[in-house]
Amino acid sequence: MATEDSYLLKVAEIVRETADAVSVVFEVPSGESATFDFKPGQFLTLGVPSDQTGLVARAYSICTPPGDGLAVTVKRTAEGYASNWINDNLKAGDTLRVLPPSGIFTPKSLDTDLLLLAGGSGVTPIMSIARHALEHGEGRITVFYANRDENSVIFAEKLRELAAANPERLQVIHWLESVQGLPTAEQLKAFLAQYDGWTSFCCGPAPFMKMVQTALKELEVPRERRHQEKFISLGGNPFGDVEEVLAAQATIAEADDAENAEGAPEDEPAVAGPVAVEVELDGEQFSFVDWDGRQHLLDFLESKGVNAPFSCREGECSACACMILEGDLSMTRNDVLEKEDLEDGIRLSCQARALTEKVRVTYNG
Ligand code: FES
């Protein structure tokens, strides 16, 4: 069933959510259920067939809560090849290449009060988090959900049901551009100001997320209570032959080294090994003492048979993110983590090289 690190999953059902969005429900073979365990808010990377390139890789957030099946929701975008192909062609019984769940947009505690902010199809991971927290947590939850108009509201019925079943804990607030216009910065700030002490998760179009983050910063909400999902557009092909990908990366690494030698390093010079590295992953501990710290951490771990998560391998998603517990790591390329993520010790292991002779990281963040 598995091809390298990807798996062929059968589509059990396609659920039409709106005129522009479908949920794709997957059948997970019983032998792979541990591989496809996920945390609420995580995403799957799908390999969508393409005449030109064979497969294009696209990441879509999981809409179901853990324990209630595995489904992603895909909204058609104007120029999006993969989202249109899924909406127009995919049907029950088809199979797709899929990478295991990954991502760090997931609450650490289900018992805190959660302010979940969604724009358009950004509601997908929000739905997974809300349903899971309602079932397993004790905090209050507010979902603020902005859409163009009533017809573009995904999960309208489900949200109504959840709110009716949990009146003490869940409040759903819809914002329709067709009725209220786009929310202004002042309106958002006034709304968010009511949720002092809550932990926020925000997913939606980039301008929406930016406005929310700016307002939260102005309200001095600390970093650990502000989370946002990044839009993921994968340039690389994680479904390609792994040997080929590694060979291509070795060439890139050599080019990087040459650049560094000329004194124009993208990242800081790495330790030329041997580096001692300890890794926590899925409840297991691994330790090695022979990492040439110039090699990317993900490549090194794979060479040791460690199944570390990844998707794009190019620093464009966060599938491979780990957190530094000891030592330090630089990155060759980073298109996704922000300054605050770096300050928190988060690094992309597909791009990470050692800056110290001992490094300890966890993937269990
Ligand atoms: Fe995408 Fe590392 S695998 S950033």
Side-chain angles (χ1 to χ4, degrees):
M1 192 57 79
T3 311
E4 299 295 351
D5 293 300
S6 72
Y7 297 77
L8 265 183
L9 293 192
K10 190 164 168 184
V11 175
E13 191 185 355
I14 300 284
V15 181
R16 175 132 313 270
E17 305 287 1
T18 67
D20 282 343
V22 291
S23 289
V24 181
V25 184
F26 290 103
E27 214 174 279
V28 179
S30 53
E32 309 295 357
S33 58
T35 307
F36 283 92
D37 272 354
F38 63 91
K39 296 183 191 145
Q42 288 195 306
F43 63 84
L44 292 180
T45 306
L46 310 185
V48 173
S50 148
D51 288 345
Q52 278 156 22
T53 53
L55 280 180
V56 290
R58 288 292 178 274
Y60 296 106
S61 294
I62 298 169
C63 61
T64 41
D68 191 23
L70 179 69
V72 296
T73 304
V74 181
K75 185 176 178 185
R76 210 188 272 284
T77 55
E79 303 293 324
Y81 166 76
S83 65
N84 281 296
W85 186 90
I86 289 170
N87 270 269
D88 292 336
N89 298 306
L90 195 63
K91 53 187 188 314
D94 289 349
T95 52
L96 277 185
R97 294 274 292 279
V98 181
L99 292 181
S102 47
I104 52 173
F105 185 68
T106 180
K108 286 199 172 60
S109 163
L110 297 173
D111 295 327
T112 48
D113 295 328
L114 294 174
L115 176 57
L116 306 178
L117 303 135
S121 60
V123 74
T124 307
I126 295 297
M127 196 66 184
S128 175
I129 294 171
R131 289 180 61 191
H132 190 65
L134 280 173
E135 198 167 330
H136 297 280
E138 291 182 349
R140 291 168 293 171
I141 301 169
T142 291
V143 175
F144 174 90
Y145 186 12
N147 272 289
R148 202 178 45 233
D149 55 35
E150 211 175 333
N151 293 333
S152 38
V153 180
I154 304 172
F155 306 132
E157 183 57 38
K158 189 72 197 167
L159 284 167
R160 254 195 303 276
E161 281 170 25
L162 289 172
N166 300 277
E168 304 296 320
R169 292 187 54 208
L170 175 64
Q171 191 187 15
V172 179
I173 298 163
H174 288 280
W175 185 288
L176 298 179
E177 190 189 329
S178 58
V179 178
Q180 292 145 289
L182 283 171
T184 63
E186 292 70 36
Q187 286 169 324
L188 258 182
K189 194 168 164 186
F191 171 77
L192 297 171
Q194 305 169 81
Y195 293 90
D196 189 26
W198 291 44
T199 299
S200 69
F201 284 80
C202 178
C203 183
F208 173 74
M209 291 204 292
K210 190 153 184 228
M211 203 189 271
V212 168
Q213 291 310 312
T214 304
L216 290 170
K217 281 182 199 166
E218 285 174 10
L219 292 167
E220 295 181 4
V221 175
R223 165 73 181 121
E224 62 274 16
R225 288 202 272 106
R226 287 187 273 121
H227 304 271
Q228 62 172 328
E229 180 64 311
K230 313 285 190 306
F231 268 104
I232 302 149
S233 168
L234 305 176
N237 179 10
F239 299 99
D241 182 280
V242 166
E243 299 304 323
E244 276 173 33
V245 175
L246 291 178
Q249 287 193 326
T251 314
I252 292 167
E254 277 166 25
D256 285 345
D257 286 345
E259 197 177 330
N260 290 345
E262 284 163 29
E266 263 289 310
D267 56 348
E268 296 170 53
V271 175
V275 172
V277 57
E278 288 177 27
V279 176
E280 285 177 19
L281 171 67
D282 294 335
E284 280 190 78
Q285 302 275 348
F286 301 91
S287 59
F288 306 102
V289 292
D290 56 346
W291 174 25
D292 176 343
R294 295 169 301 182
Q295 185 185 17
H296 289 142
L297 178 58
L298 174 66
D299 296 341
F300 173 72
L301 293 176
E302 286 180 331
S303 74
K304 295 289 187 185
V306 178
N307 248 339
F310 73 91
S311 180
C312 70
R313 305 187 81 102
E314 296 193 350
E316 293 176 347
C317 71
S318 57
C320 64
C322 62
M323 187 176 288
I324 298 172
L325 300 174
E326 186 182 338
D328 204 359
L329 299 167
S330 63
M331 285 185 289
T332 314
R333 183 175 168 189
N334 165 33
D335 288 349
V336 61
L337 298 179
E338 291 172 2
K339 189 165 153 266
E340 290 161 320
D341 299 316
L342 302 178
E343 285 166 4
D344 286 349
I346 300 174
R347 298 289 186 275
L348 304 171
S349 61
C350 73
Q351 301 296 315
R353 309 199 293 176
L355 284 177
T356 50
E357 282 170 10
K358 176 156 192 222
V359 175
R360 206 152 59 82
V361 299
T362 179
Y363 283 90
N364 303 338

